[in-house]
Amino acid sequence: MDVDALHDRARALLPREVYDYYAGGAESETTLAESTSAWLRWRLRPRILRDASSVSTATTLLGTPVALPIGVAPWALHGMAHPDGETATARGAAAADALMVVSTTATRSLGEVAAASDGPKWFQLYRVHSPAYTDELVRRAAQAGYRALVVTADLAVLGRRLRDAANDFVLPPRITMANHPRGEGGPGSTLGAALETMASWTFDDIEHFAGLTDMPVVVKGVLRADDAQRCVDAGASAVWVSTHGGRQADPAIASAHALPEVVDAVGNQVEVYVDGGVRRGSDVLTALALGARAAFVARPTIWGLAVGGAEGVREVLGELAGSLSVAMALCGVSDVTDVPADLLTTA
Amino acid sequence: MDVDALHDRARALLPREVYDYYAGGAESETTLAESTSAWLRWRLRPRILRDASSVSTATTLLGTPVALPIGVAPWALHGMAHPDGETATARGAAAADALMVVSTTATRSLGEVAAASDGPKWFQLYRVHSPAYTDELVRRAAQAGYRALVVTADLAVLGRRLRDAANDFVLPPRITMANHPRGEGGPGSTLGAALETMASWTFDDIEHFAGLTDMPVVVKGVLRADDAQRCVDAGASAVWVSTHGGRQADPAIASAHALPEVVDAVGNQVEVYVDGGVRRGSDVLTALALGARAAFVARPTIWGLAVGGAEGVREVLGELAGSLSVAMALCGVSDVTDVPADLLTTA
Amino acid sequence: MDVDALHDRARALLPREVYDYYAGGAESETTLAESTSAWLRWRLRPRILRDASSVSTATTLLGTPVALPIGVAPWALHGMAHPDGETATARGAAAADALMVVSTTATRSLGEVAAASDGPKWFQLYRVHSPAYTDELVRRAAQAGYRALVVTADLAVLGRRLRDAANDFVLPPRITMANHPRGEGGPGSTLGAALETMASWTFDDIEHFAGLTDMPVVVKGVLRADDAQRCVDAGASAVWVSTHGGRQADPAIASAHALPEVVDAVGNQVEVYVDGGVRRGSDVLTALALGARAAFVARPTIWGLAVGGAEGVREVLGELAGSLSVAMALCGVSDVTDVPADLLTTA
Amino acid sequence: MDVDALHDRARALLPREVYDYYAGGAESETTLAESTSAWLRWRLRPRILRDASSVSTATTLLGTPVALPIGVAPWALHGMAHPDGETATARGAAAADALMVVSTTATRSLGEVAAASDGPKWFQLYRVHSPAYTDELVRRAAQAGYRALVVTADLAVLGRRLRDAANDFVLPPRITMANHPRGEGGPGSTLGAALETMASWTFDDIEHFAGLTDMPVVVKGVLRADDAQRCVDAGASAVWVSTHGGRQADPAIASAHALPEVVDAVGNQVEVYVDGGVRRGSDVLTALALGARAAFVARPTIWGLAVGGAEGVREVLGELAGSLSVAMALCGVSDVTDVPADLLTTA
């Protein structure tokens, strides 16, 4: 089943307010809508007769070997999509040999998710409860075997998500943010209540986390060249271009449009990732041609999870992997780590 | 309730021809339609990790301190939307600590509106009845405590508003323009009859009003650099970029598109304001990044007034203020008087 | 009633195949659709405080004084829209003191139309029957008082009008092209049969007509700078930018888009006119700002004719005149012969 | 009946999965949709008064004289559209004196199609079964009288055609790829099974085929200047700009957009052809003005074939020829081998 079809199935299966929570964006949802269409600013310039009989999608991400340059982006509350929550996602990602980034706001504890599969995993960090507890989460993640720390930097305050406001969305019964120490993210709580403000975070906090752990630090939510350089200066090993699924600033520049300036600024210093609207192999190939090391997807994996649990997640990732392989072969690209920039032209 | 929802409610509540009067524009309504979409020529370039824990929206407009860089633009005939008319609007604006600009064509007298709240107010001037009477209105406004005079300069003749023509729109029973001396703006009269032609006004009239009163003079309806400079030369303390809600020249350049050239011309000499299609905090933030001191809204406050009287006006302004604060925090902007131009990129 | 409303009424009144004949264009109707939208490539930059208390739309066209820079473009077969045919159109145009260009393919003879009103008229020429007869038509037009000869140059062959083909459109009963000598344009004949090929015409034919008559010669259908100059070199006193109502070449450049290059090439040598998609005063004002001396309309007058005969034609022209006057006043333009180019910006 | 009407009729006549097979494209079908709209990036700049009384569409393609610069592009499986399959297409093309390119994946053998008419034909080559058998096909084609060999180079792997996947499309009963040696392309087989991978093909294979046969070699599927030059260097006598009907790489640059760079690179060395979205004479004229020697169409001929067999194919080609002739006359072009580049402007 292709990604659009899985989306349709998931929409039919999920309660309306849960679907809206996953599908929605902030304010006018301009950035949300543009996140997918932005990739269509470019067209492929296929190369012929290049002997594409062997196509490899294998790569490494901060040294972690993976079968795909396509990872599972962090997203809160997988438990609303499937009873097994993030443990199912972890099994599905492992089955595809894809990297999974596990969110602080998971419905299963970071240890439980780590143990659910032996696939490669990174941990995504929000400030929770207190600075000390947040540091404690970082230490636990390292101990549990997470291989990198992804600090989300674009949530100074929660974006205005009008669908959630109209639905009076709160965490449903039996849904708990398992990494929260005192039930702040428990049933009936709002997202705002669950996420203590991170408004005070600065680049010093990146420096703090980089010093706190041996895990390489990735800063997620970068949309500008100047910020990218400051992340690197503060010790980041990678930057992640993202609009947070169109759920924070709106109308913000789409990830696909911000990616080139970030690559120009820091692409020769650190790895650059991107998420936002990636729905086909051609989107991934476009991201790589623009200089990204990998592209991440969130909503597609949620739809897969809702429809088929771990197997649904694997199916979505397999679908994307197949789409990428075909796009590579048709463009005469045999290696994802060597995608030429001239593969693209503007539409 | 967000602004779009209030609009829907108001449309359902108001008589069709009254709704059309408020909602409609001139000729093909191209400028009307473009007034909102024009803000989407730009996208935000959010800045991260800037310590946005304290965000201030307070500013001054020609020395008047206000809580928001968002004011209530002048609009005729509030009495058709709510029995309390402009006095309700004044109470709502005051509750939000926002500036209100009261129209010559109000359904309550300028004195009555001035007395309805202690919030900051400016008076908007049309030529009415005669030059002498018009001057008399200016003097009364100063005495009533209005802090600035906003001279509307884009109504040489009334725009061709085809909805009103098709509806044979006239002032309904019991609706009177209270500042008109002899019932010209009474029930049954058309807008054309109520507004004596101002076609003969020139920049000399700006000089005349600037000399007539101690109130600073704002010229509203400026869409060009050359006109902006001539306003300043004639003694204006501020210029206001506006298409009159898309109700005069059509298809005229949208306010959002004209703003940059006006700021370039006179932004270092006087304050520059803008109205037209401002519906979200991001629109306001965009206007400020382009060099405006404040943005004004009219129709949203009419919808709020129609739905909830003074409280509806306050709700709309609160909604916009909240949206602005979140946009600022997510863009790393802590002060509305210091919004960097590089916050924007073209879409 | 505005132009759009008259159009709707006319559509309801006319037989489908007659409506399609008037409304349709060639091939994909891309040029037809673009003829109106092309004017929206520009936006007005209104000027304020210019003393617009006196606005004049009077001008001269090749020396003919007219009240408006808006003329009635030639169009075949008015008799299908109204029993009085072109004589009604002539009376309506005269009532508005507007120039009418009478077509060779009129359903009333050129003499009859000339006599129907004392308004200013030009005669539009196709090659009919034979070169000798065509020359004879030119002489008759001069004798009947037509003040200029408009040679249509964009009909080397008839455009492929798919609506007419699908409708098997032929001239209805009692409809005759009165200027045709032997019934070629009689009931049951197709347009193709009625119009002998003019494929062989060259610039030499322009020279021929310029030498044949004292009437100034206008070449209609010019869309390029090089052709415009060749028309002037061949003796044309004016060139007329037109796509023949989107009924000939398709997808051809829209008149509004071709106008600037033609004005650049010959605007300082001869008068330049334009037709195609002119529906509002702002379109006319745009054409004048781009350097046209006048704009012409055809379909709007057909709709007026169908709905109200001579009075309908007058109403349409009055509507356009009013719209133009308001646009001028709101842009600080007091004279149609002096419209500044900087009134426009691109959308 | 015009091309759109024939398409509608064909859609109604064909089984859904067969229609989808013909009509569909790859992935998001972006390239498919853009293939037609891409021609509208340009507008014609008609030339007047050029004596267009004699218009010739005759030309030669690699020395083959044809009546039209419009050929029938190769397409698989004509037998699903009409029982006579490619033999009917061949008779229809011959009736229009147009070139037909016969596909390897035809439902009739290359010999049978060659014998069906005496119209000019080229043979399109895929790798089938084995290199040796593929070479054998080339020899058979030469013996059967095909005048050129068109090597399809854009099918390293089969594009992801989601309609076919959703329909579980396989070859219907009684449909066989007649040039396949052992039933690989028989009833029940998928396209993927029928087409052995050509992923290993390189420019060396072009050199191989150029050396193998006296027929001139055309490389089809070129979308880039560098590839075009490499084809020429490898011995190609012509290159064919194509996206394979939007059925391979997606979102790839549209043929109409890639054509100029290919012409710039090799247009003075070899003939350049183009297919993709050609639906009207103006598309053909645009292609010629951009430097193509001819344009090819596939789907329109399939629709004609489905509706009317050989006569339907002839009707479609006649419709296109008529449309081209009118476009030429209206643009002052009398010879398809001499179309000036300045006939075009961007939209």
Side-chain angles (χ1 to χ4, degrees), chain C residues 201-208 219 226-232 234, chain D residues 48-50:
Chain C
W201 271 6
T202 67
F203 292 97
D204 290 347
D205 292 273
I206 303 304
E207 215 167 318
H208 166 75
V219 182
D226 51 1
D227 281 0
Q229 185 59 54
R230 291 179 72 172
C231 290
V232 173
Chain D
I48 54 173
L49 299 168
R50 289 304 196 282

PDB file of all heavy atoms in Angstrom, chain C residues 201-208 219 226-232 234, chain D residues 48-50:
ATOM      1  N   TRP C 201      -2.343  38.237 -48.406  1.00  0.00           N
ATOM      2  CA  TRP C 201      -2.068  39.635 -48.060  1.00  0.00           C
ATOM      3  C   TRP C 201      -0.670  39.796 -47.472  1.00  0.00           C
ATOM      4  O   TRP C 201      -0.219  38.978 -46.670  1.00  0.00           O
ATOM      5  CB  TRP C 201      -3.099  40.151 -47.059  1.00  0.00           C
ATOM      6  CG  TRP C 201      -4.320  40.761 -47.714  1.00  0.00           C
ATOM      7  CD1 TRP C 201      -4.613  40.772 -49.042  1.00  0.00           C
ATOM      8  CD2 TRP C 201      -5.387  41.447 -47.060  1.00  0.00           C
ATOM      9  NE1 TRP C 201      -5.814  41.415 -49.262  1.00  0.00           N
ATOM     10  CE2 TRP C 201      -6.312  41.847 -48.071  1.00  0.00           C
ATOM     11  CE3 TRP C 201      -5.672  41.769 -45.744  1.00  0.00           C
ATOM     12  CZ2 TRP C 201      -7.483  42.537 -47.786  1.00  0.00           C
ATOM     13  CZ3 TRP C 201      -6.846  42.464 -45.449  1.00  0.00           C
ATOM     14  CH2 TRP C 201      -7.740  42.841 -46.452  1.00  0.00           C
ATOM     15  N   THR C 202      -0.025  40.902 -47.859  1.00  0.00           N
ATOM     16  CA  THR C 202       1.290  41.234 -47.299  1.00  0.00           C
ATOM     17  C   THR C 202       1.280  42.728 -46.933  1.00  0.00           C
ATOM     18  O   THR C 202       0.253  43.406 -47.081  1.00  0.00           O
ATOM     19  CB  THR C 202       2.420  40.987 -48.321  1.00  0.00           C
ATOM     20  OG1 THR C 202       2.257  41.925 -49.388  1.00  0.00           O
ATOM     21  CG2 THR C 202       2.354  39.561 -48.875  1.00  0.00           C
ATOM     22  N   PHE C 203       2.424  43.206 -46.527  1.00  0.00           N
ATOM     23  CA  PHE C 203       2.507  44.630 -46.202  1.00  0.00           C
ATOM     24  C   PHE C 203       2.274  45.498 -47.442  1.00  0.00           C
ATOM     25  O   PHE C 203       1.876  46.654 -47.320  1.00  0.00           O
ATOM     26  CB  PHE C 203       3.860  44.935 -45.542  1.00  0.00           C
ATOM     27  CG  PHE C 203       3.983  44.323 -44.173  1.00  0.00           C
ATOM     28  CD1 PHE C 203       4.618  43.108 -43.978  1.00  0.00           C
ATOM     29  CD2 PHE C 203       3.424  44.964 -43.065  1.00  0.00           C
ATOM     30  CE1 PHE C 203       4.708  42.531 -42.719  1.00  0.00           C
ATOM     31  CE2 PHE C 203       3.508  44.392 -41.800  1.00  0.00           C
ATOM     32  CZ  PHE C 203       4.143  43.169 -41.621  1.00  0.00           C
ATOM     33  N   ASP C 204       2.495  44.909 -48.602  1.00  0.00           N
ATOM     34  CA  ASP C 204       2.194  45.650 -49.836  1.00  0.00           C
ATOM     35  C   ASP C 204       0.709  46.013 -49.909  1.00  0.00           C
ATOM     36  O   ASP C 204       0.347  47.048 -50.485  1.00  0.00           O
ATOM     37  CB  ASP C 204       2.554  44.808 -51.067  1.00  0.00           C
ATOM     38  CG  ASP C 204       4.065  44.656 -51.216  1.00  0.00           C
ATOM     39  OD1 ASP C 204       4.813  45.391 -50.532  1.00  0.00           O
ATOM     40  OD2 ASP C 204       4.480  43.781 -51.993  1.00  0.00           O
ATOM     41  N   ASP C 205      -0.132  45.152 -49.385  1.00  0.00           N
ATOM     42  CA  ASP C 205      -1.567  45.459 -49.405  1.00  0.00           C
ATOM     43  C   ASP C 205      -1.891  46.648 -48.513  1.00  0.00           C
ATOM     44  O   ASP C 205      -2.812  47.415 -48.796  1.00  0.00           O
ATOM     45  CB  ASP C 205      -2.373  44.217 -48.999  1.00  0.00           C
ATOM     46  CG  ASP C 205      -2.274  43.129 -50.065  1.00  0.00           C
ATOM     47  OD1 ASP C 205      -3.087  43.147 -51.000  1.00  0.00           O
ATOM     48  OD2 ASP C 205      -1.343  42.296 -49.979  1.00  0.00           O
ATOM     49  N   ILE C 206      -1.152  46.771 -47.420  1.00  0.00           N
ATOM     50  CA  ILE C 206      -1.346  47.960 -46.579  1.00  0.00           C
ATOM     51  C   ILE C 206      -0.992  49.204 -47.390  1.00  0.00           C
ATOM     52  O   ILE C 206      -1.739  50.198 -47.384  1.00  0.00           O
ATOM     53  CB  ILE C 206      -0.465  47.869 -45.308  1.00  0.00           C
ATOM     54  CG1 ILE C 206      -0.790  46.591 -44.521  1.00  0.00           C
ATOM     55  CG2 ILE C 206      -0.646  49.131 -44.439  1.00  0.00           C
ATOM     56  CD1 ILE C 206      -2.231  46.436 -44.126  1.00  0.00           C
ATOM     57  N   GLU C 207       0.134  49.120 -48.081  1.00  0.00           N
ATOM     58  CA  GLU C 207       0.556  50.241 -48.931  1.00  0.00           C
ATOM     59  C   GLU C 207      -0.520  50.539 -49.985  1.00  0.00           C
ATOM     60  O   GLU C 207      -0.844  51.706 -50.244  1.00  0.00           O
ATOM     61  CB  GLU C 207       1.878  49.856 -49.608  1.00  0.00           C
ATOM     62  CG  GLU C 207       2.818  51.031 -49.799  1.00  0.00           C
ATOM     63  CD  GLU C 207       4.227  50.572 -50.183  1.00  0.00           C
ATOM     64  OE1 GLU C 207       4.714  49.568 -49.592  1.00  0.00           O
ATOM     65  OE2 GLU C 207       4.813  51.208 -51.059  1.00  0.00           O
ATOM     66  N   HIS C 208      -1.053  49.485 -50.535  1.00  0.00           N
ATOM     67  CA  HIS C 208      -2.108  49.643 -51.532  1.00  0.00           C
ATOM     68  C   HIS C 208      -3.310  50.398 -50.956  1.00  0.00           C
ATOM     69  O   HIS C 208      -3.798  51.367 -51.560  1.00  0.00           O
ATOM     70  CB  HIS C 208      -2.537  48.258 -52.028  1.00  0.00           C
ATOM     71  CG  HIS C 208      -3.824  48.253 -52.798  1.00  0.00           C
ATOM     72  ND1 HIS C 208      -3.925  48.708 -54.101  1.00  0.00           N
ATOM     73  CD2 HIS C 208      -5.074  47.855 -52.444  1.00  0.00           C
ATOM     74  CE1 HIS C 208      -5.173  48.596 -54.511  1.00  0.00           C
ATOM     75  NE2 HIS C 208      -5.887  48.073 -53.532  1.00  0.00           N
ATOM     76  N   VAL C 219      -3.860  49.288 -38.918  1.00  0.00           N
ATOM     77  CA  VAL C 219      -3.682  47.844 -39.085  1.00  0.00           C
ATOM     78  C   VAL C 219      -3.992  47.161 -37.755  1.00  0.00           C
ATOM     79  O   VAL C 219      -3.390  47.465 -36.737  1.00  0.00           O
ATOM     80  CB  VAL C 219      -2.269  47.478 -39.562  1.00  0.00           C
ATOM     81  CG1 VAL C 219      -2.157  45.961 -39.759  1.00  0.00           C
ATOM     82  CG2 VAL C 219      -1.944  48.206 -40.857  1.00  0.00           C
ATOM     83  N   ASP C 226       8.365  44.190 -34.589  1.00  0.00           N
ATOM     84  CA  ASP C 226       8.819  44.252 -35.987  1.00  0.00           C
ATOM     85  C   ASP C 226       7.650  44.453 -36.946  1.00  0.00           C
ATOM     86  O   ASP C 226       7.724  45.262 -37.877  1.00  0.00           O
ATOM     87  CB  ASP C 226       9.677  43.018 -36.351  1.00  0.00           C
ATOM     88  CG  ASP C 226       9.022  41.685 -36.005  1.00  0.00           C
ATOM     89  OD1 ASP C 226       7.875  41.678 -35.499  1.00  0.00           O
ATOM     90  OD2 ASP C 226       9.655  40.640 -36.236  1.00  0.00           O
ATOM     91  N   ASP C 227       6.558  43.751 -36.706  1.00  0.00           N
ATOM     92  CA  ASP C 227       5.385  43.939 -37.560  1.00  0.00           C
ATOM     93  C   ASP C 227       4.833  45.360 -37.432  1.00  0.00           C
ATOM     94  O   ASP C 227       4.371  45.945 -38.427  1.00  0.00           O
ATOM     95  CB  ASP C 227       4.288  42.929 -37.185  1.00  0.00           C
ATOM     96  CG  ASP C 227       4.551  41.548 -37.777  1.00  0.00           C
ATOM     97  OD1 ASP C 227       5.569  41.379 -38.474  1.00  0.00           O
ATOM     98  OD2 ASP C 227       3.737  40.637 -37.534  1.00  0.00           O
ATOM     99  N   ALA C 228       4.841  45.885 -36.222  1.00  0.00           N
ATOM    100  CA  ALA C 228       4.326  47.244 -36.022  1.00  0.00           C
ATOM    101  C   ALA C 228       5.116  48.234 -36.870  1.00  0.00           C
ATOM    102  O   ALA C 228       4.544  49.098 -37.550  1.00  0.00           O
ATOM    103  CB  ALA C 228       4.394  47.622 -34.537  1.00  0.00           C
ATOM    104  N   GLN C 229       6.433  48.100 -36.857  1.00  0.00           N
ATOM    105  CA  GLN C 229       7.258  49.031 -37.636  1.00  0.00           C
ATOM    106  C   GLN C 229       7.003  48.856 -39.126  1.00  0.00           C
ATOM    107  O   GLN C 229       6.929  49.842 -39.869  1.00  0.00           O
ATOM    108  CB  GLN C 229       8.734  48.800 -37.308  1.00  0.00           C
ATOM    109  CG  GLN C 229       9.665  49.805 -37.966  1.00  0.00           C
ATOM    110  CD  GLN C 229       9.328  51.239 -37.555  1.00  0.00           C
ATOM    111  OE1 GLN C 229       9.270  51.557 -36.365  1.00  0.00           O
ATOM    112  NE2 GLN C 229       9.036  52.114 -38.540  1.00  0.00           N
ATOM    113  N   ARG C 230       6.835  47.627 -39.561  1.00  0.00           N
ATOM    114  CA  ARG C 230       6.566  47.401 -40.989  1.00  0.00           C
ATOM    115  C   ARG C 230       5.213  47.990 -41.398  1.00  0.00           C
ATOM    116  O   ARG C 230       5.046  48.465 -42.524  1.00  0.00           O
ATOM    117  CB  ARG C 230       6.634  45.912 -41.320  1.00  0.00           C
ATOM    118  CG  ARG C 230       8.090  45.396 -41.199  1.00  0.00           C
ATOM    119  CD  ARG C 230       8.210  43.919 -41.487  1.00  0.00           C
ATOM    120  NE  ARG C 230       8.036  43.627 -42.905  1.00  0.00           N
ATOM    121  CZ  ARG C 230       8.247  42.431 -43.447  1.00  0.00           C
ATOM    122  NH1 ARG C 230       8.670  41.417 -42.676  1.00  0.00           N
ATOM    123  NH2 ARG C 230       8.050  42.222 -44.718  1.00  0.00           N
ATOM    124  N   CYS C 231       4.243  47.951 -40.478  1.00  0.00           N
ATOM    125  CA  CYS C 231       2.953  48.598 -40.762  1.00  0.00           C
ATOM    126  C   CYS C 231       3.150  50.093 -40.964  1.00  0.00           C
ATOM    127  O   CYS C 231       2.609  50.693 -41.904  1.00  0.00           O
ATOM    128  CB  CYS C 231       1.968  48.364 -39.619  1.00  0.00           C
ATOM    129  SG  CYS C 231       1.411  46.655 -39.499  1.00  0.00           S
ATOM    130  N   VAL C 232       3.898  50.695 -40.085  1.00  0.00           N
ATOM    131  CA  VAL C 232       4.142  52.131 -40.187  1.00  0.00           C
ATOM    132  C   VAL C 232       4.875  52.440 -41.488  1.00  0.00           C
ATOM    133  O   VAL C 232       4.527  53.373 -42.219  1.00  0.00           O
ATOM    134  CB  VAL C 232       4.947  52.622 -38.963  1.00  0.00           C
ATOM    135  CG1 VAL C 232       5.349  54.088 -39.143  1.00  0.00           C
ATOM    136  CG2 VAL C 232       4.135  52.431 -37.685  1.00  0.00           C
ATOM    137  N   ALA C 234       4.708  50.878 -44.136  1.00  0.00           N
ATOM    138  CA  ALA C 234       3.805  50.673 -45.266  1.00  0.00           C
ATOM    139  C   ALA C 234       2.718  51.744 -45.344  1.00  0.00           C
ATOM    140  O   ALA C 234       1.860  51.696 -46.216  1.00  0.00           O
ATOM    141  CB  ALA C 234       3.171  49.289 -45.183  1.00  0.00           C
TER     142      ALA C 234
ATOM    143  N   ILE D  48       2.165  38.757 -39.003  1.00  0.00           N
ATOM    144  CA  ILE D  48       1.075  39.037 -39.933  1.00  0.00           C
ATOM    145  C   ILE D  48       1.617  39.395 -41.306  1.00  0.00           C
ATOM    146  O   ILE D  48       2.781  39.744 -41.462  1.00  0.00           O
ATOM    147  CB  ILE D  48       0.163  40.171 -39.428  1.00  0.00           C
ATOM    148  CG1 ILE D  48       0.985  41.428 -39.116  1.00  0.00           C
ATOM    149  CG2 ILE D  48      -0.611  39.721 -38.195  1.00  0.00           C
ATOM    150  CD1 ILE D  48       0.151  42.656 -38.778  1.00  0.00           C
ATOM    151  N   LEU D  49       0.730  39.303 -42.281  1.00  0.00           N
ATOM    152  CA  LEU D  49       0.974  39.843 -43.621  1.00  0.00           C
ATOM    153  C   LEU D  49       2.229  39.256 -44.260  1.00  0.00           C
ATOM    154  O   LEU D  49       3.024  39.969 -44.871  1.00  0.00           O
ATOM    155  CB  LEU D  49       1.054  41.387 -43.551  1.00  0.00           C
ATOM    156  CG  LEU D  49      -0.229  42.076 -43.030  1.00  0.00           C
ATOM    157  CD1 LEU D  49       0.030  43.542 -42.722  1.00  0.00           C
ATOM    158  CD2 LEU D  49      -1.370  41.928 -44.029  1.00  0.00           C
ATOM    159  N   ARG D  50       2.390  37.913 -44.134  1.00  0.00           N
ATOM    160  CA  ARG D  50       3.582  37.250 -44.659  1.00  0.00           C
ATOM    161  C   ARG D  50       3.285  36.422 -45.912  1.00  0.00           C
ATOM    162  O   ARG D  50       4.116  35.652 -46.346  1.00  0.00           O
ATOM    163  CB  ARG D  50       4.176  36.315 -43.604  1.00  0.00           C
ATOM    164  CG  ARG D  50       4.851  36.971 -42.426  1.00  0.00           C
ATOM    165  CD  ARG D  50       5.960  37.915 -42.846  1.00  0.00           C
ATOM    166  NE  ARG D  50       6.856  38.256 -41.745  1.00  0.00           N
ATOM    167  CZ  ARG D  50       6.612  39.134 -40.777  1.00  0.00           C
ATOM    168  NH1 ARG D  50       5.460  39.796 -40.742  1.00  0.00           N
ATOM    169  NH2 ARG D  50       7.522  39.374 -39.851  1.00  0.00           N
TER     170      ARG D  50
END
